Amino acid sequence: RPQFAPAHAALAHAYIVKHDYDHAAEELQRVIALDPKSESAYDQLGLIYLSQKQPAKAEDAFTRLLKVNPISAEAHAGLAGALSDEHRNAEALEEYKRVADIDSLYQGVNYNMGVMEARLNRYDDAIASLLKQRQAGDDPDNENLLAAVYEAKGMKKQADEARQKAAEFHEQK
């Protein structure tokens, strides 16, 4: 049954498990051709393109997903990732803000907003986002970025405290 979209989706999954992303992308394109409303196919395809450092193709996949489901947090996050990879930081930040509006607990959204805000030299906003991330679930990357932003603002004491927290995470491992 060559027109059976779930079989192509299962085959795509098998290729993903084998790390054969080119064939997985081909199968996901078949799924989309057979079922243009398959949100998971667009999402997986976009993620494959992101992992392969093909942000323009990822952007296309996530934009197409947003046409199917305009309030998909995954689509907005994926689109933000693609825009970030293209150094379109202001646009990426807006997409991360949409993710936060849809799902304030979306994994890493405040950290990613902090990254974009830091790139845009919006240090106060970056600090606020990174402190929110600290409350939602902290990690050494968040603390290291927070330290860098504090340092950029000339806030040495706070930068040292954030670096210490990052070091504590590494000691716990």
Side-chain angles (χ1 to χ4, degrees), residues 36-141:
K37 294 194 182 295
S38 174
E39 292 183 36
S40 66
Y42 291 110
D43 187 48
Q44 290 176 349
L45 184 61
L47 292 172
I48 286 171
Y49 289 143
L50 280 177
S51 73
Q52 292 183 322
K53 305 294 184 215
Q54 297 181 50
K57 287 183 175 183
E59 181 181 349
D60 178 64
F62 291 119
T63 299
R64 291 167 59 197
L65 173 51
L66 285 169
K67 289 179 181 171
V68 174
N69 181 358
I71 59 168
S72 167
E74 290 79 14
H76 286 288
L79 180 56
L83 294 168
S84 172
D85 286 352
E86 295 175 315
H87 304 287
R88 294 165 56 190
N89 300 320
E91 294 170 82
L93 176 59
E94 290 307 311
E95 288 301 320
Y96 283 126
K97 286 180 180 179
R98 287 183 184 98
V99 173
D101 288 343
I102 294 166
D103 181 358
S104 63
L105 299 177
Y106 192 89
Q107 183 173 348
V109 69
N110 291 303
Y111 172 77
N112 289 319
M113 286 174 35
V115 169
M116 294 302 106
E117 290 158 341
R119 287 183 186 173
L120 294 166
N121 298 325
R122 298 179 187 170
Y123 298 130
D124 291 332
D125 292 339
I127 290 169
S129 293
L130 296 169
L131 290 175
K132 279 185 191 175
Q133 184 63 43
R134 181 187 274 175
Q135 292 172 345
D138 205 8
D139 65 31
D141 291 338

Side-chain angles (χ1 to χ4, degrees), residues 3-6 9 28-42 64 68:
Q3 304 301 312
F4 189 57
L28 290 167
Q29 291 285 14
R30 286 185 185 100
V31 172
I32 291 167
L34 295 168
D35 180 8
K37 294 194 182 295
S38 174
E39 292 183 36
S40 66
Y42 291 110
R64 291 167 59 197
V68 174

